[in-house]
Every structure is written in C-alpha cells, then in structure tokens.
Amino acid sequence: MANISRFTLDFGAIKHIFLTRRFYLWFIPTLFVLQGAYTIGYVQSEQVDVINAENQIKQRIAMDLTHNFDVLPIYIEDGTEGGRYLAKLNKILIDKHYPIRVVGVEVSATAADPELRQYNLVLTGINNDTYIIVVHPPISLFSFISLWPFFIAIFIASIYIFYSEKTLKNVAEERFIDIDPCRLKIDLHQKVLVNPVTGIQVALANKPLCFYASLVEYCLKYPEKSLNPNKDLPDEFSQLCRKYFSRLIELGHTIRKRPNFASNLEKTLSEIRAALDELYGDDIKTKDYVYPKKAVGEGSRSKAHNFALTEINQEVVKVLGS
C-alpha cells in the first residue's frame, strides 16, 4: 500500500507540473529554440554532405571516364554498361547517406531544372568539358523536425518548475514560521497530529493520542522533570492522561474503558514516534522540539533514559479541543 500511495503521489506531482502555466511559459520558448537549433544544424550538415558528395562524384567519374566509357552521353535509365555504372555510383552515395544522385554524364551542358532540383557538375578537360547531371531529391519536411527537442524541452521546463516551486515553498514555510512559530497541532476533534507548515495530518489511536497530549502538557508544566519508561509514571502525568481520555469520551470518540497508560510504554512511544516521523520526515529541527527521545545504548544507559520533551515550549505546540 505504501508503494501504491507513493506512486499516486508522484503521479499527482507530475500532473501538477504539466498543468502549471509557468511550465508552458518555459516549455514553448525552449522547444522553439531547440527545434530551431536542430533545423539549422540539419541544413548546415546537409550542405556539407552535398559538397563532399560533389567532390567524390567528380573524382570518381574523372578517374573512370577515360578507361571505361568510349561514348557519351550515358544515362542511368539506359540498360547499358554506363547506366549500370551510374547505378553502382548512386549505391555508394546512398550507403554514405549523401543527399544527391547522378542521373547522367554528357559532353554538353543540360539546362538546370530547379523544379526537379537538377543541376550540372563540370569536369574541365584539356580538349572539352564533361557535364555530370546531378539531382538533389526533395527533402521531407519531417527531416527538419526531431522529437529530441520536444523531450529535452519537457525535461528543462519540468526541472525549472520543480526547483522554482520547491524554492517558493521553502520561502513560504520560512515566512509562515516567522509569523506563526507553531510546529505541531494536536487536534482532539479529529484525533490527528497536524503539521501546520505542510498541512500533513497523521491519525493516532486513542491511547497514544491521549498519552502524547499528556506528555506535551506535562513537559510544559514540569520542564525540569525526567520521564523514564522503566519507572512508574508520575501521578501528575497519569491525571493528565485521564483528563484527555475523558475529553475524547465527551467528544464522542470512544465509550470504552479507560486504558492503562502505564502499560506497554515502549509500544505507545513507538506509535507516537512513527506518527511524528510520518508528519515531519527529515525535518530534524522540528523533531527536536516534539519527538520523545529513544534510548541510546544498552544496560545502564537505557535505565537512565529520559523520553521527556526537553526542548518543547508553549509557542511550538497547540492542543485543539482540550
């Protein structure tokens, strides 16, 4: 169940990011910039490939022309040896991912055809020039577009929103603490512990709730006294436990017999600590005020253990419904 809850929480956070207006204020410009950079890079790369291909075509045909072809013109659509030669040459261009193709070789220039993206490469000879007819097939619009800028823009915008909201939340929490120093509310009406900074609520059963409310009040009244789980509870503490349990009965939360608050102290304290861990997470500073200390070490050290709230003060905690 914990894993499912964590997944749901994360999914909700992701959904919140995509529904934030500031996300799109970052995502859209970032996408345009990245996509523009990709398109410019693609066009420049295409131009470089064309120049490299033209140079290789001229070099190849210049070397092969005098040895292999006695008669010009030759065209790729011919079934002659010259046509097969041009087909093999185009196969080499395709394998190297070059964007142009050779369709013929002539002794006279053919008019360029912009509509067919056809033009001539000139091989200058001693007696005459040779003209290589080259076609640059049209480029698909999708060649200028990539999904990578889209995903990178989402990532950049999400990171910005995540950290900006985290910063705003920290600033808001600091301002809240400056205005209201209360770090914990014990709500007897709802039987919950409330973190007033984050709004997180954690429910507690009757016995640990009454025990904790009594612990808070006792430590505020008697800050110099210690509480040891291996010794009997002070009478004042027991009276407070009875008071808070009676209050729960008045609020209609229970009709059961009052529990023995002195029994299973470690179990009761463990339930309280677990609730506070869920309430505050890694907020060690707040825990120092409201967290019953655990025993440290074995033997004599444990016997001297004090679970009293030695750091607590009136401003830090409020009991609602008492």
Side-chain angles (χ1 to χ4, degrees):
M1 286 298 292
N3 291 334
I4 294 174
S5 300
R6 192 177 297 112
F7 174 80
T8 304
L9 179 63
D10 292 343
F11 180 78
I14 293 171
K15 183 178 178 182
H16 169 72
I17 286 176
F18 285 109
L19 292 178
T20 303
R21 180 172 175 269
R22 288 186 298 119
F23 170 82
Y24 292 98
L25 291 177
W26 268 80
F27 168 73
I28 294 174
T30 304
L31 176 61
F32 274 105
V33 170
L34 293 175
Q35 186 58 64
Y38 176 87
T39 302
I40 292 171
Y42 181 87
V43 171
Q44 291 178 339
S45 175
E46 181 89 357
Q47 292 171 346
V48 170
D49 285 345
V50 168
I51 293 171
N52 291 336
E54 289 176 350
N55 291 333
Q56 290 200 22
I57 290 169
K58 286 199 237 181
Q59 291 172 7
R60 185 77 264 168
I61 292 180
M63 287 189 295
D64 296 340
L65 193 60
T66 55
H67 301 290
N68 298 322
F69 308 109
D70 298 327
V71 180
L72 292 177
I74 58 173
Y75 300 100
I76 194 169
E77 63 266 17
D78 295 344
T80 63
E81 182 182 349
R84 289 190 291 273
Y85 168 80
L86 295 182
K88 290 180 181 178
L89 181 58
N90 284 335
K91 177 66 168 54
I92 295 172
L93 296 175
I94 292 171
D95 291 342
K96 292 185 176 181
H97 304 286
Y98 285 143
I100 60 177
R101 307 288 178 261
V102 180
V103 296
V105 182
E106 298 180 333
V107 292
S108 59
T110 300
D113 189 339
E115 190 171 323
L116 295 176
R117 296 169 62 87
Q118 180 176 298
Y119 60 97
N120 297 315
L121 298 177
V122 181
L123 284 178
T124 303
I126 298 174
N127 299 320
N128 54 14
D129 295 335
T130 302
Y131 298 90
I132 305 167
I133 307 170
V134 174
V135 171
H136 191 173
I139 304 172
S140 169
L141 179 63
F142 293 106
S143 299
F144 296 97
I145 301 173
S146 172
L147 287 176
W148 281 111
F150 178 80
F151 292 125
I152 295 173
I154 287 179
F155 177 76
I156 291 174
S158 300
I159 292 295
Y160 167 76
I161 294 299
F162 176 78
Y163 281 104
S164 64
E165 290 199 348
K166 187 175 181 181
T167 301
L168 290 173
K169 181 181 176 182
N170 290 339
V171 171
E173 289 178 0
E174 289 175 4
R175 288 178 179 173
F176 183 88
I177 292 171
D178 289 340
I179 296 170
D180 185 356
C182 179
R183 310 291 181 88
L184 171 67
K185 292 181 181 180
I186 304 172
D187 190 342
L188 301 180
H189 293 287
Q190 303 295 327
K191 289 177 40 177
V192 294
L193 303 182
V194 181
N195 183 337
V197 176
T198 62
I200 296 174
Q201 298 184 4
V202 179
L204 265 182
N206 293 338
K207 181 179 177 180
L209 180 67
C210 294
F211 189 93
Y212 188 55
S214 303
L215 177 63
V216 167
E217 185 172 340
Y218 181 85
C219 292
L220 289 173
K221 287 183 177 179
Y222 309 103
E224 75 288 349
K225 292 191 177 182
S226 63
L227 293 169
N228 192 309
N230 299 311
K231 297 181 179 180
D232 293 337
L233 292 175
D235 291 338
E236 297 88 349
F237 194 107
S238 298
Q239 290 174 9
L240 290 172
C241 291
R242 290 192 291 270
K243 180 188 83 169
Y244 281 108
F245 192 81
S246 298
R247 182 56 182 152
L248 289 187
I249 295 175
E250 292 173 4
L251 293 172
H253 291 310
T254 182
I255 56 173
R256 293 183 179 181
K257 180 181 177 182
R258 184 175 64 245
N260 182 0
F261 290 97
S263 65
N264 296 321
L265 276 185
E266 285 298 343
K267 180 176 181 296
T268 303
L269 289 169
S270 294
E271 291 179 25
I272 293 169
R273 292 184 189 113
L276 293 171
D277 285 334
E278 185 176 349
L279 199 64
Y280 296 106
D282 296 328
D283 186 359
I284 306 298
K285 185 177 179 181
T286 299
K287 280 186 183 179
D288 286 340
Y289 291 105
V290 299
Y291 201 84
K293 302 295 187 296
K294 295 180 181 179
V296 179
E298 301 288 339
S300 60
R301 285 204 212 165
S302 295
K303 291 176 183 177
H305 171 51
N306 175 23
F307 64 86
L309 308 176
T310 55
E311 303 293 330
I312 200 164
N313 60 68
Q314 293 282 0
E315 294 182 337
V316 167
V317 64
K318 293 179 182 177
V319 179
L320 306 179
S322 60

